[in-house]
Amino acid sequence: MKRKLVMIGNGMAGVSFVEQLLKLNPHRYDITIIGAEPHPNYNRIMLSSVLAGDANMQDIVLNDWDWYRDNNILLHAGQTAAHIDTEKRTVTTDKGIAASYDDLVFATGSLPFMLPLPGADKEGVIAFRDIKDCETMIEASKNYRKAVVIGGGLLGLEAARGLLNLKMEVDVVHIFDNLMERQLDRTASKLLQAELERQGMNFLLEKQSDSIMGKKRVTGLKFKDGTHVDADLVVMAVGIKPNVQLAKDSGIEVNRGIVVDDYLQTSLPNVYAVGECAEHRGIAYGLVAPLYEQGAILAKKLAGVDSEGYQGSVVSTKLKVSGVNVFSAGRFNDEPGTKAVRVQDDIDGIYKKVVFDQGKVIGAVLFGDTGDSSRLFSLIRSGEDFAGREKEVLLGSSGGQMASTGDLVAAMSGDEIVCGCNGVTKDTILESITEKGCVSVGEIRACTKASGGCGGCKPLVEAILTSALGEDNVAAVKEGICGCTTLSRDEVVDAIKRMHLTTSKEVMHVLEWANPEGCTKCRPALNYYLGMVYPDEHEDELESRIVNERSHANIQKDGTFSVVPRIYGGVTTPADLKKIATVAEKYNVPLVKITGGQRIDLLGVKKEDLPGMWGDLDMPSGYAYGKALRTVKTCVGSTFCRFGTQDSIKMGIDLEKKFERLDTPHKVKLAVSGCPRNCAEATIKDLGVVAIDGGWEIYVAGNGGTRVRAADLLVKVKTEEEVLEWTGAYLQYYRETANWNERTSEWAQRVGLDTVKKALESKEDRDALCERIDKTLGLVKDPWKQIVENAELSKAFDALTAPAEAKV
Ligand SMILES: Cc1cc2nc3c(=O)[nH]c(=O)nc-3n(C[C@H](O)[C@H](O)[C@H](O)COP(=O)(O)OP(=O)(O)OC[C@H]3O[C@@H](n4cnc5c(N)ncnc54)[C@H](O)[C@@H]3O)c2cc1C
Ligand code: SF4
């Protein structure tokens, strides 16, 4: 019989441990995970990238809901383990669920340290630790102007950079007079400060916070020296403390963290701790690389595999602020008996320092150029002796030869972690090359996740790849649409057409995908390309679609869904409004919202209510979730407006009725304005139509999202029929030539507007494109109706949308 394993905490360290355990001994345990956050395991490190606008929440998910289901893991997400009965061996959650265990693992991470300042409980005072904090900051930036970050360490500076990107004014308050004092020496710290000031950050150094000002919401921060700064948002990034209370309450030995031995066992038998909550030989780590090392040891222990136990880790730091390259590792401060080699180049703003103790590299700081970071980190870990030739490490030997990265790769042990963000070892990378046939960094990333986090290890991954395959073979390899292939989008589509490939499996097999199952990037892309090329032959592969498309509704952050019925042109009727109101009441919809695209959004719908709601609404799907035509926004136009020159409402409704349900590479938004006053904001849409005297102007490739782009004029036409014809031809040309997941604005810039105009110039070409789009449009069906009318589909839908055993 299987043993029962319960893990408290669904974060990076814990889930990495579970992954390793499953690899070593997949059948040993029935696994239950209790996670307080209502999300699957995500990459906390990447929250800085989300805040800075370089990634979105979906990009940072490490293990999606399907992973838990596929591995038979019972996940109680959004529940906090509240009580442990160590006698009966049960854990009970705050929602009353009890789980019994044979082995229990604490992976509760850390809590952000909040300075106990008077007023710290005011609205707008937050930490930077999880998705919720990130969302609060993004939301605050929409309504407020001035942010203050307390803490000039790694986290504080990354938060500050993100807030600057969100167009807030940012002051960083720090108690010391040099930033990142625990990771940088004074020189690097001052260089960093100068660079961040250049980027727009303002520093208030040697300031001690006294109290938070304001009534309900924060209005400022007062300092001990009597001065103050205004603030609409205060982010405290002053440190973390291991989350140990539950362990302490359960009678487990706790110091700063939960005390563990070399096998991650706590003071109680069969109870373990891993990650930031654990304290090993007096150290509670706050970076992921050591936590992954701990996870690997614990996995061996619970899988029954011998190991020498965890011996502690050397850590390195990299700041994830764009335009600033900073790295440090080991003991980089000058200490008695140590020697340092320094290089400073004020022209290019580069500073490097390597510290030696008895000939061995014990620490390094790099600013401006961090290309040597992997090599130096390896040297610190390997303990290679450079006595008498220390300068070679930074400057090369008299012959100009530095120890090559290749030599260092050769010297690395197999279990050394290369990708700190994802805990990937050198051996795992080598295995992906030798056994899975990976021949590019992209493929290795797809196979192992290495270099998929902050990207700092990319040079080392490249070096391992080069050392395994040889320089020539690596240089010859180009990056493909994802890590599973080296083929570009055009090559894949061409092969689909040439070889008449009609399923993703066929494509992957015939084109020799490195990963035969594909990945989250290529699976939906292939499904789209196949549907675009063979609209009548290709059977939609639901499992390849992204979660919102599989659910035909938008999943919200609390796990509920939103339902947006189609309202053509934004024009509704009292009867439809009554119907929507009745449905909203019947299903206790907590929020009814008018969207920016003039639709009605019913938010907070339980997954099991979706088919019922769709049936009761008896309206077509508004496709608010899909890579498809979303909305056609219209102004009232000549129907009521005294300025209107054309009937924009009719034009909008005609467009929406014609092109609804069409699969496109990315979402497509349209708008029609009845005169050049442009009340429907048609010139920031993927395609916008603006009425003029005697005709219409068609604008394309606009975007009102994160990268705002004004649309370009494509053509002026006279009749409504011509608007429909040009729109059809334009959309089909986009469908046939864009990369999957590429908005029209990016696509048009990539291929060039002149190319687009040329492709649509002749009536003959437009007709051919329209013929192809009409063929596709003739095949589309409303998904809600199909599900409502088919019990089997309805059942399958339930299974697909429910994150399996996940309790959300
Ligand atoms: C913005 C940011 C940037 C970072 N950048 C870097 C970086 O560049 N490099 C680096 O190495 N590290 C970085 N870190 C640190 C890194 O994210 C952490 O070291 C790592 O996430 C710790 O993993 P963990 O599993 O121990 O804890 P966590 O990832 O915090 O996971 C613990 C989980 O347990 C849950 N939990 C706690 N108590 C309970 C309970 N009683 N019941 C149920 N669930 C519970 C918590 O809600 C949490 O989800 C960064 C952290 C942040 C916040
Ligand atoms: S765009 Fe012109 S027609 Fe339409 S509402 Fe505005 S002013 Fe009236």
Side-chain angles (χ1 to χ4, degrees):
M1 204 170 116
K2 283 187 179 182
R3 287 174 71 78
K4 282 185 247 154
L5 174 71
V6 172
M7 184 168 80
I8 305 173
N10 185 33
M12 297 181 75
V15 177
S16 162
F17 143 70
V18 171
E19 278 183 335
Q20 314 229 34
L21 176 63
L22 290 171
K23 270 189 206 153
L24 292 172
N25 199 338
H27 307 298
R28 178 147 196 178
Y29 285 101
D30 278 328
I31 302 174
T32 300
I33 301 180
I34 302 167
E37 294 183 73
H39 311 288
N41 177 37
Y42 64 91
N43 193 336
R44 201 172 296 286
I45 292 180
M46 298 277 284
L47 286 177
S48 309
S49 308
V50 172
L51 195 64
D54 297 331
N56 62 42
M57 299 292 184
Q58 252 147 26
D59 294 335
I60 69 170
V61 170
L62 289 171
N63 302 76
D64 61 14
W65 299 116
D66 289 348
W67 177 84
Y68 296 88
R69 186 181 54 188
D70 295 348
N71 288 290
N72 289 319
I73 294 169
L74 180 62
L75 169 65
H76 299 293
Q79 300 200 32
T80 303
H83 178 72
I84 299 169
D85 187 331
T86 51
E87 294 284 307
K88 293 191 182 139
R89 297 198 173 182
T90 53
V91 183
T92 311
T93 73
D94 58 343
K95 296 200 176 137
I97 303 255
S100 56
Y101 65 84
D102 296 308
D103 292 305
L104 174 66
V105 174
F106 278 86
T108 47
S110 292
L111 295 171
F113 183 69
M114 299 299 278
L115 292 173
L117 303 178
D121 55 350
K122 288 194 199 312
E123 217 176 87
V125 181
I126 57 163
F128 184 23
R129 179 72 193 173
D130 54 26
I131 285 185
K132 199 161 147 281
D133 296 326
C134 219
E135 285 171 344
T136 307
M137 284 190 251
I138 292 170
E139 217 33 58
S141 72
K142 293 178 188 158
N143 302 313
Y144 300 101
R145 190 183 53 84
K146 184 74 202 300
V148 169
V149 176
I150 308 181
L154 185 109
L155 213 58
L157 297 179
E158 290 183 6
R161 179 62 255 179
L163 291 165
L164 273 185
N165 284 18
L166 291 168
K167 307 272 179 284
M168 293 194 87
E169 275 174 40
V170 186
D171 288 334
V172 177
V173 175
H174 197 45
I175 194 162
F176 301 109
D177 83 329
N178 51 332
L179 302 171
M180 288 180 68
E181 75 288 341
R182 281 195 292 153
Q183 292 93 4
L184 299 180
D185 68 355
R186 203 176 161 72
T187 310
S189 171
K190 288 296 158 194
L191 286 166
L192 173 67
Q193 184 182 339
E195 171 55 30
L196 294 175
E197 278 169 348
R198 199 190 58 73
Q199 292 192 8
M201 252 176 240
N202 183 42
F203 291 100
L204 302 167
L205 301 179
E206 293 183 273
K207 287 278 190 191
Q208 246 183 306
S209 303
D210 175 72
S211 54
I212 307 278
M213 298 153 69
K215 286 198 177 122
K216 195 160 164 252
R217 190 182 174 91
V218 55
T219 55
L221 175 65
K222 211 178 202 167
F223 300 111
K224 289 240 154 71
D225 61 11
T227 59
H228 78 275
V229 276
D230 293 339
D232 305 312
L233 177 75
V234 170
V235 181
M236 288 201 196
V238 288
I240 51 172
K241 49 180 184 189
N243 187 354
V244 298
Q245 196 56 48
L246 184 61
K248 200 170 175 183
D249 294 347
S250 312
I252 295 165
E253 188 190 344
V254 162
N255 194 16
R256 182 158 182 268
I258 304 169
V259 177
V260 292
D261 65 13
D262 288 359
Y263 294 91
L264 289 308
Q265 186 172 319
T266 67
S267 57
L268 285 188
N270 301 98
V271 180
Y272 303 84
V274 68
E276 281 187 353
C277 64
E279 178 181 317
H280 173 259
R281 298 187 191 172
I283 302 177
Y285 293 93
L287 294 164
V288 284
L291 314 183
Y292 285 142
E293 290 175 2
Q294 293 176 354
I297 299 292
L298 180 56
K300 281 186 183 158
K301 164 89 184 160
L302 294 193
V305 177
D306 281 346
S307 79
E308 60 162 3
Y310 179 60
Q311 304 298 317
S313 305
V314 181
V315 293
S316 70
T317 308
K318 191 172 174 286
L319 184 67
K320 304 183 295 297
V321 166
S322 80
V324 190
N325 292 318
V326 179
F327 164 85
S328 81
R331 287 156 50 204
F332 51 80
N333 281 316
D334 301 298
E335 296 166 18
T338 63
K339 289 182 195 161
V341 178
R342 294 180 176 78
V343 170
Q344 188 160 355
D345 168 359
D346 291 339
I347 314 276
D348 291 332
I350 291 170
Y351 170 72
K352 299 182 181 187
K353 173 183 176 187
V354 181
V355 182
F356 296 86
D357 188 4
Q358 313 213 17
K360 292 185 178 159
V361 183
I362 58 160
V365 182
L366 303 175
F367 181 88
D369 172 5
T370 50
D372 286 335
S373 56
S374 311
R375 192 174 59 84
L376 291 170
F377 192 47
S378 269
L379 290 181
I380 296 170
R381 294 169 62 122
S382 71
E384 190 178 336
D385 193 352
F386 284 89
R389 50 187 189 104
E390 286 90 344
K391 283 191 208 165
E392 277 179 28
V393 172
L394 255 192
L395 310 172
S397 64
S398 45
Q401 286 297 301
M402 281 194 255
S404 77
T405 313
D407 294 342
L408 288 160
V409 166
M412 280 175 79
S413 69
D415 58 2
E416 259 185 59
I417 289 193
V418 175
C419 171
C421 297
N422 291 309
V424 190
T425 61
K426 178 188 167 191
D427 268 353
T428 308
I429 294 173
L430 281 174
E431 213 176 275
S432 74
I433 300 167
T434 52
E435 286 171 30
K436 299 188 182 143
C438 295
V439 288
S440 69
V441 175
E443 287 181 18
I444 295 173
R445 192 182 311 126
C447 253
T448 67
K449 296 187 188 160
S451 83
C454 72
C457 64
K458 202 172 166 209
L460 192 53
V461 178
E462 265 164 7
I464 295 172
L465 183 65
T466 310
S467 71
L469 293 184
E471 196 118 3
D472 294 347
N473 296 329
V474 173
V477 172
K478 62 179 175 27
E479 301 253 320
I481 57 168
C482 68
C484 303
T485 178
T486 54
L487 297 173
S488 68
R489 178 256 181 229
D490 288 351
E491 286 167 334
V492 172
V493 173
D494 180 58
I496 288 173
K497 289 182 184 162
R498 212 166 13 89
M499 301 188 218
H500 200 96
L501 309 173
T502 54
T503 67
S504 296
K505 276 259 166 270
E506 234 180 340
V507 175
M508 292 174 192
H509 179 67
V510 173
L511 302 182
E512 296 180 347
W513 243 234
N515 176 1
E517 297 301 316
C519 67
T520 50
K521 219 167 161 188
C522 64
R523 279 200 307 263
L526 288 182
N527 186 45
Y528 169 74
Y529 297 139
L530 289 161
M532 180 268 290
V533 176
Y534 301 116
D536 42 0
E537 272 182 76
H538 169 67
E539 207 166 304
D540 191 38
E541 294 161 6
L542 198 60
E543 66 286 359
S544 294
R545 290 200 174 251
I546 54 176
V547 60
N548 285 347
E549 291 184 346
R550 290 202 304 258
S551 323
H552 302 287
N554 255 329
I555 193 159
Q556 305 295 313
K557 64 180 184 184
D558 61 354
T560 62
F561 291 83
S562 85
V563 169
V564 182
R566 179 72 71 191
I567 298 180
Y568 298 97
V571 179
T572 182
T573 61
D576 271 351
L577 287 175
K578 276 186 200 156
K579 196 157 59 172
I580 292 170
T582 308
V583 167
E585 276 180 353
K586 176 173 171 187
Y587 292 93
N588 292 322
V589 169
L591 182 68
V592 181
K593 165 101 179 58
I594 307 292
T595 71
Q598 303 177 333
R599 302 302 128 104
I600 296 176
D601 197 347
L602 306 171
L603 290 133
V605 179
K606 291 196 227 79
K607 60 183 178 288
E608 59 271 25
D609 285 343
L610 287 172
M613 271 185 82
W614 297 337
D616 289 348
L617 278 170
D618 193 22
M619 292 170 81
S621 162
Y623 273 78
Y625 46 81
K627 296 193 187 298
L629 174 73
R630 292 280 177 94
T631 54
V632 184
K633 188 172 176 177
T634 64
C635 74
V636 288
S638 59
T639 320
F640 280 100
C641 178
R642 62 205 163 90
F643 298 110
T645 57
Q646 308 280 353
D647 189 348
S648 48
I649 291 183
K650 178 175 180 308
M651 185 74 257
I653 292 175
D654 287 353
L655 281 166
E656 192 157 350
K657 287 202 161 154
K658 174 142 179 105
F659 297 110
E660 67 175 321
R661 302 178 193 137
L662 181 70
D663 268 341
T664 42
H666 208 305
K667 62 185 167 191
V668 168
K669 296 180 179 179
L670 269 57
V672 186
S673 287
C675 85
R677 283 174 182 77
N678 193 13
C679 294
E681 296 157 339
T683 46
I684 50 162
K685 299 293 175 198
D686 295 278
L687 185 137
V689 181
V690 178
I692 49 173
D693 272 344
W696 305 88
E697 286 175 341
I698 301 181
Y699 290 86
V700 292
N703 194 325
T706 31
R707 292 188 180 87
V708 180
R709 181 176 193 274
D712 293 301
L713 179 64
L714 176 71
V715 66
K716 286 184 194 188
V717 296
K718 291 207 171 71
T719 65
E720 286 181 19
E721 290 69 35
E722 284 174 293
V723 171
L724 289 167
E725 175 195 314
W726 276 85
T727 303
Y730 176 77
L731 290 179
Q732 183 64 8
Y733 187 59
Y734 165 58
R735 295 182 76 236
E736 290 181 3
T737 55
N739 296 322
W740 179 79
N741 210 22
E742 189 176 36
R743 286 296 293 266
T744 58
S745 53
E746 295 157 354
W747 161 75
Q749 286 179 90
R750 179 172 62 81
V751 300
L753 191 67
D754 287 344
T755 311
V756 178
K757 282 184 173 168
K758 208 160 172 31
L760 307 183
E761 204 171 54
S762 88
K763 170 86 175 117
E764 209 184 337
D765 289 342
R766 287 200 303 280
D767 284 349
L769 285 161
C770 285
E771 199 181 310
R772 295 202 287 277
I773 204 168
D774 285 348
K775 183 174 171 188
T776 304
L777 287 167
L779 297 162
V780 294
K781 295 201 177 71
D782 185 71
W784 290 1
K785 200 167 159 51
Q786 280 182 298
I787 292 161
V788 170
E789 288 175 354
N790 183 323
E792 199 48 43
L793 274 183
S794 212
K795 218 166 105 215
F797 168 85
D798 272 350
L800 279 164
T801 51
E805 290 78 12
K807 304 281 184 289
V808 286

